[in-house]
Amino acid sequence: MKRLLSCLSLLIAIAASSFAVAQTGGELRFCLRSDPKTFNPILVEDDASETIRYLTGGVLMHLNRSTQQLEPELATSWKVSEDGKTIRFKIRDNMSFSDGTPFTAEDVVYTIQRLMDPAVHSPTGDAFRSAPGKVTALSVGKDQVAVTFPAPVVGLDKLFDQVAIMSAHSPQKEMAVLGPYRVAEDKAGSYLLLKRNPYYWKRDAAGRQLPYIDSIRLDIQQNRDMEMLRLVRGEIDFINTLDADSYDKLKAKAPGMVQDAGTSLDAEQLWFNQVASSPLPAYKKAWFTSTHFRRAVSSSIDRADLARVVFRSHAQPAVSWISPANKYWFNARLQPHPFDPKAALQLLSQDGFHLKNGTLYDRDGHPVEFSVVTNAGNKAREQMATMIQQDLAGIGIHLNIVTLDFASLIERITRTFNYEACLLGLTNDDLDPNAQMNVWLSSSENHQWNPSQKTPATPWEAQIDSLMRQQASTLDLKKRKQAIDKVQEIVWQQEPFIYLVNKDAMSAISPSVHNAHAVVLRPQVYWNIDRLTLGKEVASRQ
Amino acid sequence: MKPLQVAAIAFLLLLTGMCFCAASVLPGGYERQFRDLPDAPPSHTHPLGTDDLGRDRLARLLYGTCVSLLLAPAAALLSSVLATCIGGLAGFVGGWVERSIMACTDLFLSLPWLFLVITVRAMLPLNVSPLASAAITFALLGTLGWAASARVVCAHARSLRRADFVLLARASGSTGLRLLRRHLLPNLRPIFFAQFLISIPAFILTEANLGMLGLGVAEPMPSWGGLLRELEGFALFSPQPAQFVPLILLVIVVVCFHLALPKQEIPT
């Protein structure tokens, strides 16, 4: 009897504690850097608007940020035709927007029409435009929609993760949503308040309606130090992205708060200006267009030191334009370029460079000196540039570091081309490498080292153009993988971008937020927003 | 001279001397990265510890101080000379010339300083050595920082123009250059020195502000602004006490410059 009583009391204790842990209700708080520029989901361009879209928008299918697999949402199933031009969805029934307007196939058709309307200029819609021509969206019966594109669209189904469905009939227009939350209050420059969507369709295994948390308060806070301070004071519940410095400092103060999800998709990279019409002297253009020169510079940079010192070991030497975090597309045969100043000097000697009294000279006797521009205020980049400066001094190259305000930097690298080398980072949200077509095609404006070429300046750029077009024109995943692997190999050999490090995805989460497991893909912390719960102390905070 | 004034000048001279000797005392230099010792606490080999990249903090502090103590007075001299020429001319000539020059000065004062410095800096050539970059930064500050002093000089020159001894000199036949050289400029000298000494700490602080934004002296050359960046976010975390040394030294130096000012020569 005594044993039975003790078992019973234990069960009651467990039930009570689990109730306290899986507390529903409450208000989750975190910070946005700026006000969202739009609440219209098809016009989203900035980070803040993207956050609102993610928290409020209902999508046909959802990319699970943890498993990197597509999952059904508003569409219970879908099928892409063999020619890759048509996708058919079967729509979930008996659902409503946040204002009670019923959700039908007509809403999907309306959203696709708005998305692909050239007059709307939707940045989300741009990803679907594989060729000129009209996109047709038709409802087939009561619960099916077929969307047909003029040409095959690579990775078509995954693109729908970004398309929040809008209501064709709601008087609230884009403010009527199908996601877990709706915008309840917007105080420009101060905060946004999101409240639970009473018509949200998802339920947990126990049949309880999701999301668990009642409301989300998004404070507009530009200052990162203030954001950290507020987290430590308990005024906000998480910080989505942390830099290595803040991570270590916060870890020393509150070890349970920080999470390192591992290598992210983002890379830090250095490139030389290879624009033929740039105002650089001819001998410098000759250096920068030489593969030997670029590879020598690459070999003389100690990437392991950059990762260890600048990023406090929360980064790893970068290999390719695709991060190892992108498990399917990364070419695992490639290794980081080793730190080898002797090999660098050998490469340079093949182009007539020679060392004299600790200074490197080219074959015409010009001392090798160039500048690298980077954006002012980014401590990690300034530190990387300083370390590269010391590394290059080891092979007799004199590097000058120039920090510029961002507008001046962009002006130099995109308009005047009055720069020699640039150190910047690439933020990557998309797993599919097709999203980087605008970087790799030599005709593209974003082909940073030599943009908007009429014809490819080098045979290897022509080969990259051909391979990228080839992978964009087939739906055969194996063929696409082969083409992308080959592009990675060419880039590894030619180094138009010298990839330095892949940073880790780091976040800080208050212990009072439960079910939060930071992942590599954005949004790192709140990717499973409808499953997050708050501890008792936070749930009661109003 | 008051004892406090003497002490301030002595401290500034001593500090300058120490900074010049830094090269022989600290052979590691300010730029060498001890990459196995980033963020090291104070030790026998690194008395103030090392920074994020493993560079000796003491060496960087001394070199940075040297840069500020040499270049800030140079910038102050440049701006004071410009202010004396422009303000002196306006005050001495008077009339529409004075009104025009002072209108330009007011316009110059109303410009957003920091953005002007950032814009001009962005247009400079990229391939300059760190020392040249430091000199350019301070030269920019000197070239753009004359306007406030010019107003003070103009007011003083105007009062001199109307002074009895100037009227007497005019009545005695002194005109133009002779009047300027014999009567006006010698009497503007005290105001010139006062403006010069006032400008030095102002330029030190402006460079520190630019450095905090990452737009000051180029790496690896240290400056006070760059050194103060180590204290970013200090309200949140507990930095090493050694990280406060540049801040303390900056405050002491700025206070010393103010104490060293000859008080009777400050216009009221």
Side-chain angles (χ1 to χ4, degrees):
Chain A
M1 185 66 188
K2 209 173 186 180
R3 181 175 280 183
L4 187 68
L5 274 175
S6 63
C7 281
L8 199 64
S9 59
L10 185 67
L11 278 172
I12 291 167
I14 290 169
S17 66
S18 67
F19 176 76
V21 169
Q23 186 78 36
T24 57
E27 185 174 84
L28 183 77
R29 295 180 186 182
F30 64 99
C31 293
L32 292 178
R33 297 263 172 279
S34 61
D35 280 304
K37 286 182 181 163
T38 179
F39 290 127
N40 188 332
I42 61 172
L43 295 179
V44 165
E45 269 186 308
D46 56 302
D47 283 346
S49 305
E50 172 62 36
T51 299
I52 303 301
R53 176 172 70 180
Y54 191 86
L55 295 170
T56 61
V59 292
L60 293 167
M61 46 267 227
H62 172 72
L63 181 74
N64 183 316
R65 267 57 174 180
S66 179
T67 62
Q68 300 188 3
Q69 298 296 317
L70 271 183
E71 292 173 350
E73 286 272 310
L74 302 177
T76 52
S77 62
W78 64 91
K79 193 176 179 189
V80 180
S81 65
E82 279 185 15
D83 63 1
K85 291 184 185 176
T86 304
I87 185 164
R88 281 173 181 272
F89 306 100
K90 191 169 187 306
I91 306 296
R92 210 174 282 276
D93 55 7
N94 294 326
M95 290 174 48
S96 297
F97 284 88
S98 54
D99 63 343
T101 310
F103 165 66
T104 64
E106 206 183 326
D107 298 313
V108 178
V109 171
Y110 169 76
T111 304
I112 303 296
Q113 284 170 346
R114 294 281 297 151
L115 185 76
M116 302 312 297
D117 184 350
V120 174
H121 300 294
S122 165
T124 313
D126 287 344
F128 291 89
R129 290 193 181 93
S130 56
K134 202 177 174 191
V135 177
T136 55
L138 294 169
S139 54
V140 184
K142 198 178 154 188
D143 62 351
Q144 286 196 33
V145 175
V147 186
T148 306
F149 295 88
V153 180
V154 173
L156 179 59
D157 48 1
K158 283 197 173 72
L159 294 177
F160 281 93
D161 171 72
Q162 304 286 314
V163 182
I165 302 300
M166 299 192 295
S167 171
H169 301 294
S170 168
Q172 289 191 10
K173 298 194 174 175
E174 68 260 20
M175 302 309 278
V177 292
L178 290 161
Y181 292 93
R182 63 184 172 85
V183 178
E185 210 177 324
D186 174 21
K187 294 268 183 202
S190 179
Y191 71 90
L192 276 120
L193 187 66
L194 309 186
K195 291 213 164 162
R196 179 208 294 266
N197 173 2
Y199 295 97
Y200 189 55
W201 60 278
K202 268 193 195 171
R203 291 179 183 276
D204 67 8
R208 278 191 300 183
Q209 192 192 17
L210 297 177
Y212 293 123
I213 297 170
D214 278 345
S215 60
I216 302 175
R217 186 186 160 103
L218 302 159
D219 289 327
I220 312 300
Q221 179 61 261
Q222 288 183 342
N223 188 312
R224 297 211 68 149
D225 289 337
M226 281 303 294
E227 191 181 12
M228 295 279 281
L229 203 59
R230 294 186 66 186
L231 178 76
V232 172
R233 285 180 187 157
E235 292 172 8
I236 57 171
D237 298 309
F238 66 82
I239 297 175
N240 212 33
T241 53
L242 280 181
D243 58 41
D245 196 30
S246 307
Y247 179 94
D248 276 5
K249 285 173 178 170
L250 196 55
K251 191 179 179 186
K253 208 169 178 94
M257 262 194 188
V258 288
Q259 286 190 22
D260 184 341
T263 308
S264 71
L265 299 180
D266 301 344
E268 295 291 322
Q269 63 207 43
L270 173 80
W271 74 88
F272 290 103
N273 179 1
Q274 297 186 48
V275 178
S277 59
S278 69
L280 303 181
Y283 67 91
K284 285 197 173 177
K285 286 182 188 171
W287 299 349
F288 302 154
T289 50
S290 158
T291 306
H292 286 152
F293 183 83
R294 293 194 302 270
R295 290 203 62 169
V297 168
S298 174
S299 296
S300 59
I301 296 172
D302 193 338
R303 291 170 172 79
D305 268 4
L306 292 181
R308 185 176 55 81
V309 178
V310 177
F311 296 97
R312 319 286 173 105
S313 300
H314 298 295
Q316 69 174 58
V319 184
S320 159
W321 55 283
I322 296 178
S323 160
N326 193 341
K327 294 182 181 73
Y328 182 77
W329 293 104
F330 173 66
N331 185 342
R333 290 192 300 275
L334 301 176
Q335 294 296 316
H337 291 278
F339 172 58
D340 192 347
K342 279 185 186 169
L345 285 170
Q346 276 174 0
L347 276 170
L348 288 166
S349 68
Q350 290 177 37
D351 276 7
F353 289 92
H354 55 280
L355 259 179
K356 198 167 127 188
N357 301 327
T359 302
L360 189 72
Y361 292 88
D362 68 6
R363 67 170 83 236
D364 298 325
H366 298 109
V368 181
E369 177 181 4
F370 62 86
S371 60
V372 62
V373 292
T374 192
N375 56 319
N378 188 314
K379 201 172 165 187
R381 286 198 190 123
E382 288 171 28
Q383 289 180 340
M384 277 198 291
T386 309
M387 290 186 72
I388 292 169
Q389 186 181 49
Q390 182 165 300
D391 287 342
L392 293 187
I395 58 166
I397 295 178
H398 187 82
L399 179 69
N400 295 309
I401 300 166
V402 183
T403 51
L404 295 172
D405 60 292
F406 207 70
S408 306
L409 179 71
I410 296 298
E411 174 78 7
R412 280 185 187 263
I413 66 173
T414 61
R415 286 172 187 269
T416 64
F417 303 114
N418 187 8
Y419 74 101
E420 292 173 343
C422 180
L423 173 62
L424 274 183
L426 174 77
T427 303
N428 196 0
D429 284 336
D430 205 325
L431 290 171
D432 197 311
N434 193 58
Q436 291 194 43
M437 279 287 275
N438 62 344
V439 173
W440 294 108
L441 290 184
S442 60
S443 56
S444 167
E445 282 181 11
N446 294 324
H447 191 70
Q448 277 104 344
W449 70 87
N450 189 5
S452 308
Q453 298 173 38
K454 284 180 182 158
T455 52
T458 58
W460 55 269
E461 282 174 283
Q463 203 182 350
I464 291 177
D465 282 1
S466 161
L467 287 163
M468 287 304 288
R469 287 204 176 96
Q470 191 183 315
Q471 68 80 32
S473 61
T474 177
L475 297 173
D476 185 331
L477 210 54
K478 274 189 182 171
K479 281 186 185 165
R480 289 192 63 211
K481 170 74 174 149
Q482 281 170 0
I484 295 295
D485 277 357
K486 184 65 185 165
V487 174
Q488 290 182 73
E489 282 164 24
I490 295 169
V491 173
W492 189 89
Q493 284 158 4
Q494 297 295 334
E495 300 208 67
F497 287 131
I498 297 174
Y499 290 98
L500 301 170
V501 292
N502 291 117
K503 297 181 287 183
D504 285 3
M506 292 170 282
S507 310
I509 309 169
S510 160
S512 56
V513 181
H514 302 150
N515 294 339
H517 312 288
V519 294
V520 166
L521 298 182
R522 287 183 178 79
Q524 290 87 346
V525 174
Y526 57 92
W527 61 275
N528 57 342
I529 185 69
D530 53 5
R531 308 274 169 175
L532 296 184
T533 59
L534 295 172
K536 203 174 176 181
E537 68 284 5
V538 181
S540 60
R541 177 188 67 192
Q542 289 298 329
Chain B
M1 262 192 190
K2 290 179 180 174
L4 213 54
Q5 203 173 353
V6 174
I9 292 168
F11 177 80
L12 289 173
L13 289 174
L14 184 70
L15 188 64
T16 312
M18 269 177 67
C19 293
F20 274 112
C21 296
S24 53
V25 177
L26 299 158
Y30 62 82
E31 59 185 342
R32 186 171 165 196
Q33 296 161 10
F34 298 91
R35 292 185 182 178
D36 292 329
L37 290 170
D39 272 331
S43 64
H44 179 67
T45 43
H46 303 289
L48 290 181
T50 61
D51 69 3
D52 290 344
L53 298 182
R55 297 174 294 191
D56 186 83
R57 203 176 269 131
L58 178 62
R60 292 186 66 73
L61 178 65
L62 291 176
Y63 276 100
T65 306
C66 197
V67 167
S68 291
L69 287 182
L70 279 180
L71 294 180
L77 184 67
L78 178 64
S79 82
S80 303
V81 168
L82 284 172
T84 307
C85 292
I86 296 166
L89 179 74
F92 181 62
V93 177
W96 67 269
V97 175
E98 182 186 352
R99 284 195 297 278
S100 307
I101 292 177
M102 284 303 106
C104 290
T105 308
D106 289 343
L107 187 70
F108 214 81
L109 280 171
S110 66
L111 291 174
W113 242 79
L114 199 60
F115 291 105
L116 195 64
V117 174
I118 289 169
T119 307
V120 175
R121 194 180 176 279
M123 291 190 290
L124 293 174
L126 300 177
N127 265 317
V128 288
S129 68
L131 189 61
S133 127
I136 288 170
T137 302
F138 278 99
L140 263 179
L141 297 180
T143 313
L144 299 173
W146 55 268
S149 299
R151 287 198 67 85
V152 178
V153 174
C154 176
H156 199 68
R158 195 189 306 123
S159 66
L160 285 176
R161 191 181 75 216
R162 293 167 186 160
D164 291 345
F165 71 93
V166 174
L167 292 175
L168 188 63
R170 280 185 197 276
S172 312
S174 287
T175 53
L177 274 179
R178 181 179 164 79
L179 199 62
L180 194 70
R181 191 165 52 83
R182 296 292 300 271
H183 299 287
L184 198 75
L185 285 181
N187 282 292
L188 279 179
R189 199 179 298 143
I191 203 95
F192 170 83
F193 281 120
Q195 289 305 310
F196 168 69
L197 288 170
I198 286 169
S199 301
I200 294 172
F203 287 133
I204 289 174
L205 291 172
T206 309
E207 189 286 323
N209 288 336
L210 279 176
M212 283 291 286
L213 295 171
L215 290 163
V217 174
E219 286 279 2
M221 177 78 77
S223 71
W224 273 340
L227 296 169
L228 290 176
R229 288 183 81 187
E230 279 201 84
L231 288 175
E232 279 175 346
F234 83 96
L236 182 58
F237 305 104
S238 332
Q240 296 172 23
Q243 286 176 287
F244 284 102
V245 176
L247 179 68
I248 294 165
L249 197 62
L250 173 68
V251 172
I252 292 172
V253 166
V254 171
V255 168
C256 282
F257 270 113
H258 282 293
L259 289 174
L261 277 174
K263 296 290 184 289
Q264 71 276 17
E265 288 172 357
I266 297 175
T268 54

